[in-house]
Amino acid sequence: MIWLIGNKGMLGSDVGYFLKETHKDYIASDIEVDITDLEELKRFISDKKIDWIINCSAYTAVDKAEDEPGKAFKINAEGALNIAKIAREKEAKLIHISTDYVFDGEKNGSYTEDDDPNPMGVYGKSKLEGERNIQNIIEKYFILRTAWLYGKNGNNFVYTMLRLFKEKEVVKVVSDQWGTPTHTKDLAGTIIKIIQDKSDKYGIYHFTNEGRTNWYEFAKEIYERAKKHKLIKKNINIIPITTEEYPTKAVRPKNTYMSKEKIKSSFGLNIRDWGNSLEEFLMDI
Ligand SMILES: NC(=O)c1ccc[n+]([C@@H]2O[C@H](COP(=O)([O-])OP(=O)(O)OC[C@H]3O[C@@H](n4cnc5c(N)ncnc54)[C@H](OP(=O)(O)O)[C@@H]3O)[C@@H](O)[C@H]2O)c1
């Protein structure tokens, strides 16, 4: 049986959507089964045979984490450790989601799984500790680092832009942070593929959509495609700005473009270009 943790989140809800079709007998939980409480986790699955655990739950408020590091570490580091303990006890394989923010963003070119992490902020540090907690106590894990996620059921950059395009005439967006937008549906599909393959190619993997862009170019693409589909009617002036002109509580890495070679060759994946996935997302909503 599969246990999906974090099924009400943005990624988790898409994973649940696919699981309904592929593995009808999966079980799911979210905030009502607190991952920071090991006993609660144990109680929830005490009598169940679990083969796979998918952890999509996390503390994901990057800026807020700077003000509440205790909470971020409790959920992202201790919570991940608790889930790994359950995986060990149940002899289940664990698919855990991590982030590009484990990197400092100073590398030129793409980050591979062999690059040393060096997170800049509390969120990235707490997620890295979560990865290491898992690696320290189990071997049967897949840690998928992803980036710039957007999906139907959650707050994300695409929804923010669509709202701003309705409210304003001028929208300023940072153009000096580089990475790859990722549709939750594509990552969810990859998670299902790993399970269907009954894979034992454990380890850390990078997964985003294909291509590389910055937030300004991403915003322009959302605008142009939304206009084409008549989601917005008026003209918007989108202006590129620097990170210095848009200060945030948490320092963002400048470049988190990640290589997908390892995940593509391990699982025979054909990953969609970020523009094509964005197009499908806009059509869906
Ligand atoms: N969003 C991105 O751009 C992005 C980028 C890179 C990596 N990631 C990673 O991708 C994964 C999925 O992200 P997402 O954006 O889908 O996250 P999300 O929408 O914030 O969903 C996370 C879910 O976990 C739940 N949760 C929080 N604390 C919990 C706890 N103590 N016990 C049980 N459940 C708890 C949340 O409930 P509440 O909402 O009630 O707190 C929420 O339903 C995360 O591991 C994240 O770090 C995300």
Side-chain angles (χ1 to χ4, degrees), residues 6 8-12 30-31 33-36 56-58 60 75 97-100 123 127 146-149:
K8 294 188 185 125
M10 187 166 69
L11 173 64
D30 200 87
I31 194 74
V33 183
D34 187 349
I35 63 165
T36 68
C56 297
S57 72
T60 54
I75 297 170
I97 311 302
S98 191
T99 172
D100 57 333
Y123 168 72
K127 292 292 290 184
T146 191
W148 299 23
L149 280 184

Side-chain angles (χ1 to χ4, degrees), residues 148 157 161 171-179 212-220 238-247 252-256:
W148 299 23
F157 185 79
M161 285 302 120
V171 176
K172 295 179 181 173
V173 187
V174 291
S175 61
D176 56 359
Q177 291 168 25
W178 294 83
R212 179 176 182 265
T213 190
N214 60 58
W215 294 107
Y216 163 72
E217 296 290 346
F218 186 20
K220 275 205 328 187
I238 306 173
I239 298 176
I241 56 168
T242 62
T243 298
E244 285 79 51
E245 290 173 277
Y246 187 76
R252 262 56 174 187
K254 289 254 181 258
N255 166 46
T256 60

Side-chain angles (χ1 to χ4, degrees), residues 106-273:
E106 294 302 318
K107 186 176 179 181
N108 289 321
S110 60
Y111 279 98
T112 72
E113 291 80 354
D114 294 329
D115 283 315
D116 287 334
N118 181 33
M120 316 265 288
V122 169
Y123 168 72
K125 286 178 184 157
S126 68
K127 292 292 290 184
L128 180 61
E129 195 168 307
E131 288 186 5
R132 292 190 169 152
N133 284 345
I134 292 167
Q135 291 176 295
N136 281 340
I137 70 159
I138 54 172
E139 283 171 4
K140 296 178 180 179
Y141 64 81
F142 300 84
I143 292 173
L144 309 186
R145 291 186 187 138
T146 191
W148 299 23
L149 280 184
Y150 63 89
K152 246 182 179 171
N153 303 304
N155 293 325
N156 60 67
F157 185 79
V158 182
Y159 282 152
T160 303
M161 285 302 120
L162 291 175
R163 177 175 52 77
L164 290 176
F165 296 157
K166 282 186 183 131
E167 291 171 5
K168 296 178 185 280
E169 266 70 47
V170 177
V171 176
K172 295 179 181 173
V173 187
V174 291
S175 61
D176 56 359
Q177 291 168 25
W178 294 83
T180 313
T182 306
H183 191 342
T184 46
K185 254 191 179 176
D186 293 331
L187 176 53
T190 297
I191 291 170
I192 303 294
K193 170 103 174 55
I194 292 172
I195 295 174
Q196 283 178 331
D197 280 5
K198 300 188 172 62
S199 179
D200 56 5
K201 295 177 185 165
Y202 308 114
I204 294 188
Y205 292 92
H206 292 174
F207 181 92
T208 62
N209 278 124
E210 288 286 13
R212 179 176 182 265
T213 190
N214 60 58
W215 294 107
Y216 163 72
E217 296 290 346
F218 186 20
K220 275 205 328 187
E221 198 71 27
I222 296 164
Y223 171 64
E224 276 154 25
R225 289 176 191 265
K227 197 114 200 257
K228 187 178 80 186
H229 294 301
K230 301 192 169 36
L231 292 170
I232 35 169
K233 302 209 168 63
K234 67 185 209 262
N235 290 330
I236 310 290
N237 189 6
I238 306 173
I239 298 176
I241 56 168
T242 62
T243 298
E244 285 79 51
E245 290 173 277
Y246 187 76
T248 50
K249 198 125 205 178
V251 180
R252 262 56 174 187
K254 289 254 181 258
N255 166 46
T256 60
Y257 176 54
M258 298 193 290
S259 165
K260 273 82 63 185
E261 288 316 307
K262 184 179 173 191
I263 200 162
K264 285 196 289 188
S265 60
S266 299
F267 302 107
L269 294 185
N270 205 345
I271 304 177
R272 292 197 290 181
D273 184 77

